[in-house]
Short mmCIF file of all heavy atoms in Angstrom, two decimals:
data_model
loop_
_atom_site.label_atom_id
_atom_site.label_comp_id
_atom_site.label_asym_id
_atom_site.label_seq_id
_atom_site.Cartn_x
_atom_site.Cartn_y
_atom_site.Cartn_z
N MET A 89 76.29 214.38 133.15
CA MET A 89 76.87 214.10 131.84
C MET A 89 77.14 212.61 131.69
O MET A 89 77.58 211.95 132.62
CB MET A 89 78.18 214.90 131.72
CG MET A 89 78.74 214.89 130.32
SD MET A 89 80.20 215.93 130.25
CE MET A 89 80.35 216.11 128.49
N PHE A 90 76.88 212.11 130.49
CA PHE A 90 77.13 210.70 130.24
C PHE A 90 78.62 210.41 130.17
O PHE A 90 79.38 211.23 129.69
CB PHE A 90 76.49 210.26 128.92
CG PHE A 90 74.99 210.28 128.97
CD1 PHE A 90 74.28 211.24 128.26
CD2 PHE A 90 74.31 209.36 129.73
CE1 PHE A 90 72.91 211.27 128.31
CE2 PHE A 90 72.92 209.39 129.79
CZ PHE A 90 72.22 210.34 129.07
N TYR A 91 78.98 209.25 130.60
CA TYR A 91 80.39 208.84 130.49
C TYR A 91 80.55 208.08 129.19
O TYR A 91 80.85 206.90 129.14
CB TYR A 91 80.75 207.96 131.69
CG TYR A 91 82.22 207.65 131.79
CD1 TYR A 91 83.12 208.65 132.10
CD2 TYR A 91 82.69 206.36 131.58
CE1 TYR A 91 84.47 208.38 132.19
CE2 TYR A 91 84.03 206.08 131.67
CZ TYR A 91 84.92 207.09 131.97
OH TYR A 91 86.25 206.81 132.05
N SER A 92 80.29 208.77 128.09
CA SER A 92 80.25 208.07 126.81
C SER A 92 81.44 208.38 125.92
O SER A 92 81.78 207.60 125.05
CB SER A 92 78.97 208.42 126.06
OG SER A 92 78.92 209.81 125.85
N ALA A 93 82.09 209.52 126.12
CA ALA A 93 83.21 209.87 125.25
C ALA A 93 84.36 208.91 125.51
O ALA A 93 84.79 208.74 126.65
CB ALA A 93 83.65 211.30 125.53
N PRO A 94 84.84 208.27 124.47
CA PRO A 94 85.93 207.31 124.67
C PRO A 94 87.23 208.01 125.04
O PRO A 94 87.48 209.14 124.63
CB PRO A 94 86.06 206.64 123.31
CG PRO A 94 85.51 207.62 122.33
CD PRO A 94 84.47 208.41 123.07
N ARG A 95 88.05 207.32 125.81
CA ARG A 95 89.36 207.84 126.18
C ARG A 95 90.43 207.34 125.22
O ARG A 95 91.56 207.80 125.27
CB ARG A 95 89.72 207.40 127.59
CG ARG A 95 88.86 208.03 128.65
CD ARG A 95 89.42 207.74 130.03
NE ARG A 95 89.11 208.82 130.95
CZ ARG A 95 89.78 209.97 131.02
NH1 ARG A 95 90.81 210.18 130.25
NH2 ARG A 95 89.43 210.89 131.87
N ASP A 96 90.06 206.38 124.44
CA ASP A 96 91.04 205.71 123.59
C ASP A 96 90.27 205.16 122.38
O ASP A 96 89.27 204.48 122.54
CB ASP A 96 91.66 204.58 124.40
CG ASP A 96 92.77 203.89 123.64
OD1 ASP A 96 92.52 203.36 122.56
OD2 ASP A 96 93.90 203.88 124.16
N CYS A 97 90.75 205.46 121.19
CA CYS A 97 89.99 205.07 120.01
C CYS A 97 90.96 204.64 118.91
O CYS A 97 91.95 205.31 118.66
CB CYS A 97 89.18 206.29 119.57
SG CYS A 97 88.16 205.99 118.15
N PRO A 98 90.70 203.52 118.26
CA PRO A 98 91.59 203.08 117.18
C PRO A 98 91.47 203.99 115.96
O PRO A 98 90.39 204.50 115.66
CB PRO A 98 91.10 201.67 116.86
CG PRO A 98 89.74 201.56 117.42
CD PRO A 98 89.60 202.58 118.51
N THR A 99 92.57 204.21 115.28
CA THR A 99 92.59 205.01 114.05
C THR A 99 93.17 204.17 112.91
O THR A 99 93.58 203.03 113.13
CB THR A 99 93.45 206.28 114.23
OG1 THR A 99 94.83 205.92 114.17
CG2 THR A 99 93.16 206.99 115.55
N THR A 100 93.22 204.76 111.75
CA THR A 100 93.80 204.05 110.60
C THR A 100 95.25 204.45 110.36
O THR A 100 95.89 203.97 109.44
CB THR A 100 92.98 204.34 109.32
OG1 THR A 100 92.96 205.75 109.09
CG2 THR A 100 91.56 203.85 109.47
N LEU A 101 95.77 205.34 111.20
CA LEU A 101 97.16 205.76 111.03
C LEU A 101 98.11 204.70 111.58
O LEU A 101 97.82 204.08 112.59
CB LEU A 101 97.39 207.10 111.75
CG LEU A 101 96.98 208.35 110.95
CD1 LEU A 101 95.50 208.36 110.64
CD2 LEU A 101 97.36 209.59 111.72
N LEU A 102 99.22 204.53 110.91
CA LEU A 102 100.15 203.47 111.30
C LEU A 102 101.31 204.00 112.14
O LEU A 102 101.81 205.10 111.91
CB LEU A 102 100.70 202.78 110.05
CG LEU A 102 99.65 202.11 109.15
CD1 LEU A 102 100.34 201.47 107.96
CD2 LEU A 102 98.83 201.09 109.92
N CYS A 103 101.73 203.17 113.07
CA CYS A 103 102.88 203.48 113.90
C CYS A 103 104.13 203.60 113.01
O CYS A 103 104.40 202.70 112.21
CB CYS A 103 103.07 202.38 114.93
SG CYS A 103 104.54 202.58 115.94
N PRO A 104 104.91 204.68 113.18
CA PRO A 104 106.13 204.82 112.38
C PRO A 104 107.17 203.75 112.70
O PRO A 104 108.08 203.52 111.91
CB PRO A 104 106.65 206.20 112.77
CG PRO A 104 105.54 206.89 113.48
CD PRO A 104 104.65 205.82 114.03
N HIS A 105 107.04 203.11 113.85
CA HIS A 105 108.04 202.12 114.26
C HIS A 105 107.68 200.71 113.84
O HIS A 105 108.54 199.95 113.41
CB HIS A 105 108.22 202.16 115.79
CG HIS A 105 108.89 203.39 116.25
ND1 HIS A 105 110.24 203.46 116.50
CD2 HIS A 105 108.39 204.63 116.48
CE1 HIS A 105 110.55 204.70 116.87
NE2 HIS A 105 109.45 205.42 116.87
N CYS A 106 106.41 200.32 113.99
CA CYS A 106 106.07 198.92 113.75
C CYS A 106 104.86 198.73 112.83
O CYS A 106 104.43 197.61 112.62
CB CYS A 106 105.84 198.21 115.09
SG CYS A 106 104.41 198.83 115.97
N GLN A 107 104.33 199.83 112.30
CA GLN A 107 103.23 199.76 111.33
C GLN A 107 101.92 199.21 111.91
O GLN A 107 101.03 198.82 111.17
CB GLN A 107 103.63 198.94 110.09
CG GLN A 107 104.95 199.36 109.47
CD GLN A 107 104.96 200.83 109.09
OE1 GLN A 107 104.08 201.31 108.41
NE2 GLN A 107 105.95 201.57 109.57
N THR A 108 101.81 199.15 113.22
CA THR A 108 100.54 198.78 113.84
C THR A 108 99.62 200.01 113.82
O THR A 108 100.10 201.12 114.00
CB THR A 108 100.79 198.38 115.32
OG1 THR A 108 101.67 197.26 115.33
CG2 THR A 108 99.50 198.02 116.02
N PRO A 109 98.33 199.82 113.59
CA PRO A 109 97.43 200.97 113.64
C PRO A 109 97.47 201.65 115.02
O PRO A 109 97.35 200.98 116.05
CB PRO A 109 96.05 200.36 113.36
CG PRO A 109 96.34 199.13 112.58
CD PRO A 109 97.64 198.61 113.14
N LEU A 110 97.67 202.95 115.00
CA LEU A 110 97.76 203.71 116.25
C LEU A 110 96.38 203.94 116.84
O LEU A 110 95.38 203.91 116.14
CB LEU A 110 98.40 205.07 115.96
CG LEU A 110 99.87 205.06 115.57
CD1 LEU A 110 100.27 206.45 115.07
CD2 LEU A 110 100.73 204.66 116.75
N HIS A 111 96.37 204.21 118.13
CA HIS A 111 95.17 204.67 118.80
C HIS A 111 95.35 206.13 119.15
O HIS A 111 96.46 206.56 119.45
CB HIS A 111 94.93 203.90 120.10
CG HIS A 111 94.45 202.50 119.88
ND1 HIS A 111 93.57 201.90 120.73
CD2 HIS A 111 94.74 201.60 118.91
CE1 HIS A 111 93.31 200.67 120.29
NE2 HIS A 111 94.02 200.47 119.20
N ILE A 112 94.25 206.86 119.14
CA ILE A 112 94.29 208.21 119.71
C ILE A 112 93.76 208.08 121.12
O ILE A 112 92.81 207.35 121.39
CB ILE A 112 93.47 209.20 118.86
CG1 ILE A 112 93.63 210.62 119.39
CG2 ILE A 112 92.00 208.80 118.73
CD1 ILE A 112 93.09 211.70 118.45
N ALA A 113 94.43 208.75 122.05
CA ALA A 113 94.07 208.60 123.46
C ALA A 113 94.23 209.92 124.16
O ALA A 113 94.86 210.85 123.65
CB ALA A 113 94.97 207.55 124.11
N ARG A 114 93.66 210.00 125.34
CA ARG A 114 93.82 211.25 126.09
C ARG A 114 94.00 210.96 127.57
O ARG A 114 93.47 210.00 128.13
CB ARG A 114 92.63 212.17 125.88
CG ARG A 114 91.34 211.63 126.43
CD ARG A 114 90.23 212.61 126.14
NE ARG A 114 88.95 211.94 126.23
CZ ARG A 114 87.94 212.40 126.98
NH1 ARG A 114 88.07 213.47 127.70
NH2 ARG A 114 86.81 211.74 127.00
N SER A 115 94.75 211.84 128.18
CA SER A 115 94.82 211.87 129.63
C SER A 115 94.01 213.08 130.05
O SER A 115 93.17 213.55 129.30
CB SER A 115 96.28 211.94 130.08
OG SER A 115 96.88 213.09 129.55
N CYS A 116 94.26 213.64 131.21
CA CYS A 116 93.42 214.74 131.72
C CYS A 116 93.36 215.92 130.75
O CYS A 116 92.31 216.39 130.38
CB CYS A 116 93.93 215.22 133.06
SG CYS A 116 93.79 213.95 134.31
N HIS A 117 94.50 216.40 130.34
CA HIS A 117 94.52 217.63 129.54
C HIS A 117 95.33 217.47 128.28
O HIS A 117 95.78 218.45 127.71
CB HIS A 117 95.09 218.78 130.36
CG HIS A 117 94.23 219.14 131.51
ND1 HIS A 117 92.99 219.75 131.36
CD2 HIS A 117 94.38 218.95 132.84
CE1 HIS A 117 92.45 219.92 132.55
NE2 HIS A 117 93.27 219.43 133.47
N GLU A 118 95.54 216.25 127.86
CA GLU A 118 96.44 216.03 126.76
C GLU A 118 95.87 214.96 125.84
O GLU A 118 95.34 213.96 126.31
CB GLU A 118 97.79 215.56 127.32
CG GLU A 118 98.85 215.37 126.30
CD GLU A 118 100.08 214.68 126.88
OE1 GLU A 118 99.96 214.02 127.93
OE2 GLU A 118 101.13 214.79 126.26
N VAL A 119 95.99 215.18 124.54
CA VAL A 119 95.60 214.16 123.58
C VAL A 119 96.86 213.74 122.85
O VAL A 119 97.70 214.56 122.51
CB VAL A 119 94.57 214.72 122.57
CG1 VAL A 119 94.19 213.66 121.55
CG2 VAL A 119 93.33 215.20 123.30
N PHE A 120 97.01 212.45 122.65
CA PHE A 120 98.22 211.96 122.01
C PHE A 120 97.89 210.70 121.23
O PHE A 120 96.82 210.12 121.37
CB PHE A 120 99.31 211.69 123.05
CG PHE A 120 98.87 210.79 124.16
CD1 PHE A 120 99.04 209.41 124.06
CD2 PHE A 120 98.26 211.30 125.30
CE1 PHE A 120 98.62 208.57 125.08
CE2 PHE A 120 97.83 210.46 126.32
CZ PHE A 120 98.01 209.09 126.21
N MET A 121 98.83 210.28 120.40
CA MET A 121 98.71 209.03 119.67
C MET A 121 99.52 207.99 120.42
O MET A 121 100.61 208.29 120.92
CB MET A 121 99.25 209.18 118.25
CG MET A 121 98.63 210.30 117.44
SD MET A 121 96.86 210.13 117.17
CE MET A 121 96.82 208.70 116.08
N ARG A 122 99.00 206.77 120.50
CA ARG A 122 99.80 205.74 121.13
C ARG A 122 99.73 204.46 120.31
O ARG A 122 98.74 204.19 119.62
CB ARG A 122 99.33 205.48 122.56
CG ARG A 122 98.03 204.77 122.66
CD ARG A 122 97.73 204.37 124.09
NE ARG A 122 96.52 203.56 124.15
CZ ARG A 122 96.52 202.23 123.94
NH1 ARG A 122 97.63 201.57 123.73
NH2 ARG A 122 95.38 201.56 123.97
N CYS A 123 100.79 203.68 120.40
CA CYS A 123 100.85 202.42 119.69
C CYS A 123 100.53 201.30 120.67
O CYS A 123 101.18 201.17 121.71
CB CYS A 123 102.24 202.22 119.11
SG CYS A 123 102.41 200.61 118.32
N PRO A 124 99.51 200.47 120.39
CA PRO A 124 99.15 199.39 121.31
C PRO A 124 100.16 198.26 121.29
O PRO A 124 100.17 197.42 122.19
CB PRO A 124 97.79 198.92 120.79
CG PRO A 124 97.76 199.30 119.35
CD PRO A 124 98.62 200.54 119.22
N ASP A 125 101.02 198.23 120.30
CA ASP A 125 101.98 197.14 120.19
C ASP A 125 103.31 197.48 120.83
O ASP A 125 103.77 196.79 121.75
CB ASP A 125 102.16 196.78 118.71
CG ASP A 125 102.90 195.47 118.55
OD1 ASP A 125 102.65 194.56 119.35
OD2 ASP A 125 103.74 195.37 117.65
N CYS A 126 103.96 198.56 120.38
CA CYS A 126 105.27 198.89 120.95
C CYS A 126 105.18 199.89 122.10
O CYS A 126 106.19 200.28 122.66
CB CYS A 126 106.24 199.37 119.86
SG CYS A 126 105.81 200.92 119.08
N GLU A 127 103.94 200.33 122.43
CA GLU A 127 103.70 201.17 123.61
C GLU A 127 104.32 202.55 123.51
O GLU A 127 104.45 203.24 124.51
CB GLU A 127 104.24 200.48 124.89
CG GLU A 127 103.67 199.09 125.12
CD GLU A 127 102.30 199.13 125.77
OE1 GLU A 127 102.10 199.99 126.63
OE2 GLU A 127 101.45 198.33 125.38
N LYS A 128 104.72 202.94 122.31
CA LYS A 128 105.26 204.28 122.17
C LYS A 128 104.13 205.30 122.10
O LYS A 128 103.03 204.99 121.68
CB LYS A 128 106.12 204.39 120.90
CG LYS A 128 107.42 203.65 121.00
CD LYS A 128 108.28 203.89 119.77
CE LYS A 128 109.51 203.00 119.78
NZ LYS A 128 110.40 203.28 120.91
N ARG A 129 104.47 206.52 122.51
CA ARG A 129 103.51 207.62 122.40
C ARG A 129 104.07 208.65 121.43
O ARG A 129 105.28 208.87 121.40
CB ARG A 129 103.35 208.32 123.75
CG ARG A 129 102.50 207.57 124.72
CD ARG A 129 102.31 208.47 125.91
NE ARG A 129 101.47 207.87 126.92
CZ ARG A 129 100.91 208.57 127.91
NH1 ARG A 129 101.13 209.87 128.02
NH2 ARG A 129 100.15 207.97 128.79
N PHE A 130 103.18 209.27 120.70
CA PHE A 130 103.60 210.28 119.74
C PHE A 130 102.74 211.52 119.91
O PHE A 130 101.54 211.40 120.19
CB PHE A 130 103.43 209.74 118.31
CG PHE A 130 104.13 208.44 118.08
CD1 PHE A 130 103.43 207.24 118.19
CD2 PHE A 130 105.48 208.40 117.80
CE1 PHE A 130 104.08 206.02 117.99
CE2 PHE A 130 106.12 207.19 117.59
CZ PHE A 130 105.43 206.01 117.70
N PRO A 131 103.34 212.70 119.71
CA PRO A 131 102.55 213.92 119.83
C PRO A 131 101.48 213.98 118.74
O PRO A 131 101.75 213.64 117.58
CB PRO A 131 103.57 215.05 119.62
CG PRO A 131 104.91 214.42 119.63
CD PRO A 131 104.73 212.96 119.36
N LEU A 132 100.32 214.42 119.12
CA LEU A 132 99.21 214.51 118.17
C LEU A 132 99.57 215.41 116.99
O LEU A 132 99.17 215.14 115.86
CB LEU A 132 97.98 215.04 118.90
CG LEU A 132 96.70 215.14 118.06
CD1 LEU A 132 96.25 213.78 117.60
CD2 LEU A 132 95.61 215.83 118.84
N LYS A 133 100.33 216.45 117.25
CA LYS A 133 100.61 217.41 116.18
C LYS A 133 101.37 216.78 115.02
O LYS A 133 101.27 217.24 113.89
CB LYS A 133 101.37 218.62 116.72
CG LYS A 133 102.74 218.30 117.27
CD LYS A 133 103.43 219.60 117.72
CE LYS A 133 104.73 219.33 118.46
NZ LYS A 133 105.72 218.58 117.65
N ASP A 134 102.10 215.70 115.27
CA ASP A 134 102.82 215.03 114.20
C ASP A 134 101.88 214.28 113.25
O ASP A 134 102.28 213.90 112.16
CB ASP A 134 103.82 214.02 114.78
CG ASP A 134 104.98 214.71 115.48
OD1 ASP A 134 105.02 215.96 115.49
OD2 ASP A 134 105.84 213.99 116.03
N PHE A 135 100.66 214.05 113.70
CA PHE A 135 99.72 213.26 112.91
C PHE A 135 98.48 214.03 112.50
O PHE A 135 97.65 213.53 111.76
CB PHE A 135 99.29 212.02 113.71
CG PHE A 135 100.43 211.09 113.99
CD1 PHE A 135 101.19 211.24 115.13
CD2 PHE A 135 100.75 210.08 113.09
CE1 PHE A 135 102.26 210.40 115.39
CE2 PHE A 135 101.81 209.24 113.35
CZ PHE A 135 102.57 209.40 114.50
N ILE A 136 98.37 215.25 112.99
CA ILE A 136 97.13 216.00 112.79
C ILE A 136 96.84 216.25 111.31
O ILE A 136 95.70 216.29 110.89
CB ILE A 136 97.18 217.32 113.61
CG1 ILE A 136 95.78 217.84 113.87
CG2 ILE A 136 98.01 218.39 112.93
CD1 ILE A 136 95.10 217.19 115.03
N SER A 137 97.89 216.38 110.52
CA SER A 137 97.69 216.64 109.09
C SER A 137 97.13 215.42 108.36
O SER A 137 96.60 215.53 107.26
CB SER A 137 99.00 217.08 108.45
OG SER A 137 99.96 216.07 108.56
N GLN A 138 97.24 214.23 108.97
CA GLN A 138 96.72 213.01 108.35
C GLN A 138 95.49 212.49 109.09
O GLN A 138 95.09 211.35 108.91
CB GLN A 138 97.76 211.90 108.39
CG GLN A 138 99.19 212.31 108.17
CD GLN A 138 100.15 211.21 108.64
OE1 GLN A 138 100.03 210.07 108.23
NE2 GLN A 138 101.08 211.56 109.50
N ALA A 139 94.91 213.32 109.93
CA ALA A 139 93.81 212.87 110.79
C ALA A 139 92.71 212.18 109.99
O ALA A 139 92.27 212.69 108.96
CB ALA A 139 93.24 214.05 111.57
N ASP A 140 92.25 211.04 110.47
CA ASP A 140 91.16 210.32 109.83
C ASP A 140 89.85 210.62 110.56
O ASP A 140 89.81 211.40 111.50
CB ASP A 140 91.45 208.82 109.76
CG ASP A 140 91.49 208.16 111.12
OD1 ASP A 140 91.17 208.83 112.13
OD2 ASP A 140 91.82 206.96 111.19
N ALA A 141 88.77 210.01 110.11
CA ALA A 141 87.46 210.31 110.68
C ALA A 141 87.39 209.97 112.16
O ALA A 141 86.79 210.70 112.95
CB ALA A 141 86.38 209.55 109.92
N ALA A 142 88.01 208.86 112.55
CA ALA A 142 87.99 208.46 113.96
C ALA A 142 88.67 209.52 114.83
O ALA A 142 88.21 209.84 115.92
CB ALA A 142 88.69 207.11 114.13
N MET A 143 89.77 210.06 114.33
CA MET A 143 90.49 211.10 115.08
C MET A 143 89.67 212.38 115.18
O MET A 143 89.60 213.01 116.23
CB MET A 143 91.83 211.40 114.42
CG MET A 143 92.85 210.30 114.62
SD MET A 143 94.34 210.60 113.65
CE MET A 143 95.01 212.05 114.48
N GLU A 144 89.05 212.77 114.06
CA GLU A 144 88.23 213.99 114.06
C GLU A 144 87.13 213.88 115.12
O GLU A 144 86.88 214.78 115.90
CB GLU A 144 87.57 214.20 112.69
CG GLU A 144 88.55 214.26 111.54
CD GLU A 144 89.04 215.66 111.29
OE1 GLU A 144 88.73 216.55 112.09
OE2 GLU A 144 89.75 215.85 110.29
N GLU A 145 86.48 212.71 115.13
CA GLU A 145 85.38 212.51 116.06
C GLU A 145 85.88 212.52 117.50
O GLU A 145 85.27 213.12 118.39
CB GLU A 145 84.70 211.17 115.75
CG GLU A 145 83.40 210.99 116.49
CD GLU A 145 82.69 209.72 116.05
OE1 GLU A 145 82.83 209.32 114.88
OE2 GLU A 145 82.02 209.12 116.91
N PHE A 146 87.00 211.87 117.72
CA PHE A 146 87.58 211.83 119.07
C PHE A 146 87.88 213.24 119.56
O PHE A 146 87.57 213.60 120.69
CB PHE A 146 88.86 210.99 119.03
CG PHE A 146 89.45 210.72 120.38
CD1 PHE A 146 89.11 209.57 121.07
CD2 PHE A 146 90.34 211.60 120.95
CE1 PHE A 146 89.66 209.31 122.32
CE2 PHE A 146 90.89 211.35 122.21
CZ PHE A 146 90.54 210.20 122.88
N MET A 147 88.49 214.04 118.70
CA MET A 147 88.87 215.39 119.10
C MET A 147 87.66 216.26 119.36
O MET A 147 87.67 217.09 120.26
CB MET A 147 89.80 216.00 118.05
CG MET A 147 91.18 215.36 118.11
SD MET A 147 92.37 216.11 117.00
CE MET A 147 91.87 215.40 115.43
N GLU A 148 86.60 216.05 118.59
CA GLU A 148 85.37 216.79 118.86
C GLU A 148 84.85 216.49 120.25
O GLU A 148 84.44 217.38 120.98
CB GLU A 148 84.28 216.41 117.85
CG GLU A 148 84.33 217.25 116.60
CD GLU A 148 83.29 216.78 115.59
OE1 GLU A 148 82.27 216.21 116.01
OE2 GLU A 148 83.55 216.98 114.39
N ASN A 149 84.89 215.23 120.64
CA ASN A 149 84.45 214.85 121.99
C ASN A 149 85.32 215.46 123.06
O ASN A 149 84.84 215.89 124.10
CB ASN A 149 84.46 213.32 122.13
CG ASN A 149 83.30 212.67 121.39
OD1 ASN A 149 82.25 213.28 121.24
ND2 ASN A 149 83.51 211.47 120.92
N VAL A 150 86.62 215.50 122.81
CA VAL A 150 87.53 216.08 123.80
C VAL A 150 87.19 217.55 124.01
O VAL A 150 87.11 218.02 125.13
CB VAL A 150 89.00 215.94 123.32
CG1 VAL A 150 89.93 216.78 124.20
CG2 VAL A 150 89.41 214.49 123.36
N TYR A 151 86.98 218.27 122.91
CA TYR A 151 86.72 219.70 123.06
C TYR A 151 85.38 219.95 123.71
O TYR A 151 85.23 220.88 124.48
CB TYR A 151 86.85 220.39 121.70
CG TYR A 151 88.26 220.31 121.17
CD1 TYR A 151 88.53 220.02 119.84
CD2 TYR A 151 89.34 220.50 122.04
CE1 TYR A 151 89.83 219.93 119.37
CE2 TYR A 151 90.64 220.40 121.58
CZ TYR A 151 90.88 220.12 120.25
OH TYR A 151 92.16 220.01 119.80
N CYS A 152 84.40 219.09 123.46
CA CYS A 152 83.12 219.24 124.13
C CYS A 152 83.28 219.08 125.64
O CYS A 152 82.68 219.82 126.42
CB CYS A 152 82.12 218.17 123.65
SG CYS A 152 81.45 218.54 122.03
N ASP A 153 84.09 218.12 126.03
CA ASP A 153 84.29 217.84 127.46
C ASP A 153 84.89 219.02 128.20
O ASP A 153 84.70 219.16 129.41
CB ASP A 153 85.26 216.66 127.64
CG ASP A 153 84.52 215.35 127.47
OD1 ASP A 153 83.32 215.38 127.21
OD2 ASP A 153 85.17 214.29 127.60
N ARG A 154 85.65 219.86 127.51
CA ARG A 154 86.36 220.94 128.19
C ARG A 154 85.46 222.10 128.54
O ARG A 154 85.80 222.93 129.35
CB ARG A 154 87.48 221.46 127.29
CG ARG A 154 88.68 220.54 127.33
CD ARG A 154 89.79 221.10 126.49
NE ARG A 154 90.94 220.20 126.50
CZ ARG A 154 91.97 220.30 125.67
NH1 ARG A 154 91.97 221.27 124.76
NH2 ARG A 154 92.96 219.48 125.74
N ILE A 155 84.31 222.16 127.90
CA ILE A 155 83.42 223.31 128.13
C ILE A 155 82.75 223.19 129.50
O ILE A 155 82.31 222.12 129.85
CB ILE A 155 82.35 223.43 127.01
CG1 ILE A 155 83.07 223.75 125.71
CG2 ILE A 155 81.33 224.47 127.37
CD1 ILE A 155 82.19 223.64 124.49
ZN1 ZN B 189 104.45 200.69 117.30
#
């Protein structure tokens, strides 16, 4: 398998604390939103209703990897 799926991808959603664009990122079994500026992490479920195209694509890759 190619090592092509990104582990961290910029999105258009803004950090609730500092308004920096958040990144969507994943660890082994978890996907979360993180702020590159204030280093805070946020649960994905808090942002899923506003998911942008970058997030949709990222999540598709995550689910493919699990199979
Ligand atoms: Zn922030």
